[in-house]
Amino acid sequence: MSNKLKIVHYLNQFFGQIGGEDKADIPPRIEEGSIGPGTALNNSLGEDAEIVNTIICGDTFFNENLEESKSEIKEMLEEIKPDLLIAGPAFNAGRYGVACGTVAEIAKTELGIDVVSGIYPENPGYEMFKQYAYFVETPDSAAGMRSALPDMIKIVKSYIEKNGELGSPEEEGYMSRGVRKNIFAEERGAARAIKMLVKKLDGKEFETEYPMPVFDRVDPVDPISNMTETKVALVTSGGIVPKGNPDHIESSSASKYGEYSLEGVMDLDEASYETAHGGYDPVCANKDSDRVLPVDVIRDLEKEGVIGELHNKFYTTVGNGTSVANAKAYAQEIAENLLADGVQAVILTST
């Protein structure tokens, strides 16, 4: 790449210096040159590259108007024709991370533009879109901007030096993309496997050539012996909320959960309840929210004496795009509240 690399930078409304959550509903717009963190990036790139334009979009607008946002941003990129896209860094901001990842997917798969970004490993945007960008690991908040930007600059400079042919994550310093490549090795696979096995048997350190994902394992609790005396609670990731979504739970990448009373509620009717979830067609859930959170059926079981009682509160959030770290934190708090209220069983519904 002998000529100066032409870069477009994608930012949300906050880092684009437009405003906070009150401006999260702004549609995509193009600005000349670099803005916010892009200025530091641009200054560090010197004569090798330049951020020619910045695309800014509000997190709420992007996630609630996904197809419109994707279409507009694609048109902007087609018009500018950049050599590289930089997105973020998004840190652990779920909606921002998903937006950066979605823009990366558009750039890479539809326009053939490579992407460099920065993100916290537990941000859902990384797991969902890691194959479309060179994601640098960042701290979980914007307080880590000073460490995030140099790492992103390093990747961009290496990209320029190597004419767009970056090496492995270990060589370059970006996170795994989940991409497998064929390489030539000095030893055949069988010999390498035996050496790894011998090291493992000897208790020595070894490095696998194909790391496997790690999943949490949760031991099941003991079965309930007498349901007729059991206090049951309802918890959902299906986004059922009182009409109007009073706590403004996000439609994707939720940053909170809601706690709402069921005192005297026998049925989740259309006039009083709806779903805030943005990951499925809400029509049926909005007509009868019992389809997601079965209050009516549990009330019947309560009357019939099948269960002891229904807890007088329900807990709700949105599962799509929500980070594992946030989901665990919500679960811990909700579980503590339920135990304090004497709940012995939970019915957990999704969508």
Side-chain angles (χ1 to χ4, degrees), residues 24 70 123 127 160 179 181 200 214-215 233 235-236 291 295 319:
K70 288 166 65 175
N123 189 313
E127 194 60 39
I160 296 168
V179 176
K181 290 186 176 181
K200 184 175 182 179
V214 178
F215 300 102
V235 178
T236 185
R291 289 168 172 156
V295 172

Side-chain angles (χ1 to χ4, degrees), residues 48-120:
D48 295 323
E50 180 184 6
I51 295 176
V52 294
N53 291 97
T54 302
I55 297 175
I56 304 169
C57 184
D59 286 333
T60 298
F61 186 93
F62 191 98
N63 285 279
E64 293 185 359
N65 304 275
L66 185 59
E67 294 307 316
E68 179 183 348
S69 300
K70 288 166 65 175
S71 177
E72 289 190 28
I73 290 171
K74 180 182 176 183
E75 288 181 10
M76 293 174 180
L77 292 173
E78 285 177 324
E79 181 181 342
I80 302 167
K81 294 182 173 60
D83 301 307
L84 183 71
L85 175 72
I86 295 177
F91 304 102
N92 197 27
R95 291 178 301 162
Y96 190 20
V98 170
C100 287
T102 304
V103 172
E105 181 182 13
I106 297 166
K108 183 61 179 174
T109 62
E110 299 189 34
L111 303 174
I113 301 167
D114 286 322
V115 183
V116 174
S117 186
I119 203 163
Y120 185 63

Side-chain angles (χ1 to χ4, degrees), residues 41 70 112 138 157 169 229 234 253 266 279 281 287 289 299 332 342:
L41 286 167
K70 288 166 65 175
T138 72
K157 287 187 172 181
E229 296 179 359
L234 287 171
S253 308
M266 308 303 290
D281 189 332
K287 280 192 173 182
S289 292
R299 287 297 188 197
Q332 184 66 42

Side-chain angles (χ1 to χ4, degrees), residues 270-330:
E270 186 177 4
S272 302
Y273 295 89
E274 63 184 356
T275 181
H277 204 292
Y280 64 92
D281 189 332
V283 174
C284 291
N286 286 342
K287 280 192 173 182
D288 184 358
S289 292
D290 294 289
R291 289 168 172 156
V292 178
L293 195 74
V295 172
D296 54 354
V297 174
I298 302 301
R299 287 297 188 197
D300 289 342
L301 295 176
E302 187 180 44
K303 287 179 187 176
E304 296 164 10
V306 176
I307 65 169
E309 63 176 301
L310 175 61
H311 185 41
N312 61 7
K313 300 173 186 173
F314 76 91
Y315 292 86
T316 181
T317 191
V318 164
N320 63 315
T322 300
S323 70
V324 173
N326 280 350
K328 282 184 175 181
Y330 304 159

Side-chain angles (χ1 to χ4, degrees), residues 9 34-46 51 145 149-150 153:
H9 194 190
S34 58
I35 294 172
T39 302
L41 286 167
N42 205 42
N43 291 340
S44 298
L45 292 172
I51 295 176
M145 185 69 79
L149 292 184
I153 291 164

